[in-house]
Amino acid sequence: MKFRDLRADEVECRVSTCKSTGCSLLLYKDARCDMNILDETVGIMGWKRHHELINGNLFCTVELYDSEKGEWISKQDVGTESYTEREKGQASDSFKRACFNLGIGRELYTAPFIWIPNGAVKMIKQGDRYTTYDKFKVSEMEVIGKKITSLTINGEKSNEIVFKWSEKQNDTSSQKITDVKQRALLDFCDENGLDINKILESYHLKEICDITERQHLAIIKYGNQYKDKWGVS
C-alpha cells in the first residue's frame, strides 16, 4: 500500500537551534495529518491503533487491514514525552513514529538543512542564550520519489520568503554570501570566540566577502568544533 506525499500545508516548522546569527528549522507532521491520510487511503474502518507500556515506555501500534491476505498488518514505535503534557505527548509522538514506519511523511527525513539568518528572523537574547518568537510556514514543497526536491518557507506574520531551496537549481553552494550573512557571521564569531582572520586563512581567502555559501554553512555548523584552530588567541 502506498500513501501519498505530504502537501505543503500539512507540514509544520519547528525552531531547532537559535544563535545570534539566526535559527535553524525542522520540519514535522502532526497526528491529525496522519489520521487524515489514513482515513482517505484505507477508510476509517481500514485502520486501528492501540498503545501499550513496555518497560515504562509508551508504544503505539498502527494496524492496516490487508483484504488480500485477510489479516491485519501492524507497525509499532515508541514515543517521547512532550514538555507540556507527558502522557498525551508520548501517545501522539508514538503514533506519528508508527505512521513514519508505514511510510507516511517519510520524505521529511530528506529535508535540506534550513537556516534562517538574523534579519529574516528576530532573535531575542535571554541570559546567555538566544531564542525567537517568530513562526514559519511551508508555502511550497515538491516531492519526487519520496524525496523533497524543492522547498519554500515564509514568515507566518510577514508572509515573506525567508528560505528557498531547490535541488533542480544550479548549485548555489559556490556563490558568495550576502552582506547580511557577512555581518551575521562576524556576530557569530564574536559570540563564539572565533577569529575570522584564522577562518579566512584556513580557506585561503583574503576577505569575508569571498566566503561561499558552502563554506558559510560549514563554519556555522562546525565552528565550535574547530576552536583549537579558529579560536581567538
Side-chain angles (χ1 to χ4, degrees):
M1 184 174 296
K2 185 177 181 180
F3 294 96
R4 67 167 174 80
D5 300 326
L6 298 183
R7 301 190 306 266
D9 63 290
E10 294 173 318
V11 180
E12 307 286 339
C13 297
R14 178 188 297 130
V15 174
S16 175
T17 59
C18 289
K19 300 178 180 179
S20 63
T21 51
C23 69
S24 63
L25 302 180
L26 295 176
L27 304 182
Y28 70 100
K29 58 183 173 70
D30 63 22
R32 289 184 296 274
C33 173
D34 288 317
M35 289 186 280
N36 290 336
I37 291 178
L38 284 168
D39 284 348
E40 71 179 55
T41 306
V42 301
I44 61 174
M45 305 298 289
W47 68 278
K48 58 183 178 179
R49 63 187 273 198
H50 70 269
H51 297 267
E52 59 184 318
L53 279 173
I54 302 177
N55 295 327
N57 296 311
L58 188 64
F59 282 75
C60 177
T61 301
V62 177
E63 298 181 71
L64 304 180
Y65 188 72
D66 188 329
S67 57
E68 292 184 1
K69 295 181 179 180
E71 61 184 26
W72 290 88
I73 308 299
S74 64
K75 296 291 184 178
Q76 184 185 71
D77 213 325
V78 66
T80 57
E81 62 188 73
S82 68
Y83 292 106
T84 53
E85 298 177 276
R86 180 179 178 182
E87 290 79 10
K88 183 179 179 181
Q90 283 188 342
S92 176
D93 191 60
S94 60
F95 173 62
K96 290 185 291 184
R97 288 171 181 264
C99 289
F100 270 126
N101 289 335
L102 290 169
I104 302 177
R106 199 176 292 172
E107 61 268 26
L108 296 180
Y109 290 124
T110 69
F113 177 68
I114 305 170
W115 178 260
I116 314 299
N118 193 354
V121 57
K122 184 179 180 182
M123 304 307 303
I124 302 172
K125 190 171 186 179
Q126 294 182 341
D128 295 331
R129 298 183 178 183
Y130 285 86
T131 187
T132 180
Y133 295 113
D134 287 358
K135 297 183 182 299
F136 307 91
K137 62 182 179 180
V138 177
S139 56
E140 295 179 9
M141 185 177 75
E142 180 186 60
V143 179
I144 298 178
K146 280 297 178 181
K147 181 180 180 182
I148 297 175
T149 56
S150 67
L151 182 68
T152 302
I153 296 175
N154 292 46
E156 192 171 85
K157 290 185 177 179
S158 67
N159 204 35
E160 294 181 352
I161 295 175
V162 295
F163 179 86
K164 192 174 182 66
W165 170 87
S166 175
E167 194 178 61
K168 296 178 181 179
Q169 294 173 342
N170 293 328
D171 184 12
T172 61
S173 59
S174 61
Q175 292 182 359
K176 302 297 193 298
I177 60 174
T178 63
D179 292 342
V180 172
K181 286 190 176 181
Q182 291 174 35
R183 293 192 295 270
L185 181 57
L186 289 174
D187 291 339
F188 173 78
C189 290
D190 288 341
E191 178 189 348
N192 292 276
L194 301 176
D195 189 332
I196 188 62
N197 292 316
K198 290 182 179 179
I199 294 174
L200 291 173
E201 183 179 353
S202 69
Y203 282 109
H204 306 290
L205 302 175
K206 293 182 179 181
E207 303 289 343
I208 190 173
C209 60
D210 296 325
I211 292 176
T212 66
E213 289 286 351
R214 182 189 292 111
Q215 293 164 343
H216 175 265
L217 179 60
I219 295 166
I220 295 295
K221 196 171 184 179
Y222 303 111
N224 287 320
Q225 299 179 25
Y226 288 89
K227 276 195 173 181
D228 57 333
K229 183 179 179 180
W230 292 344
V232 176
S233 302

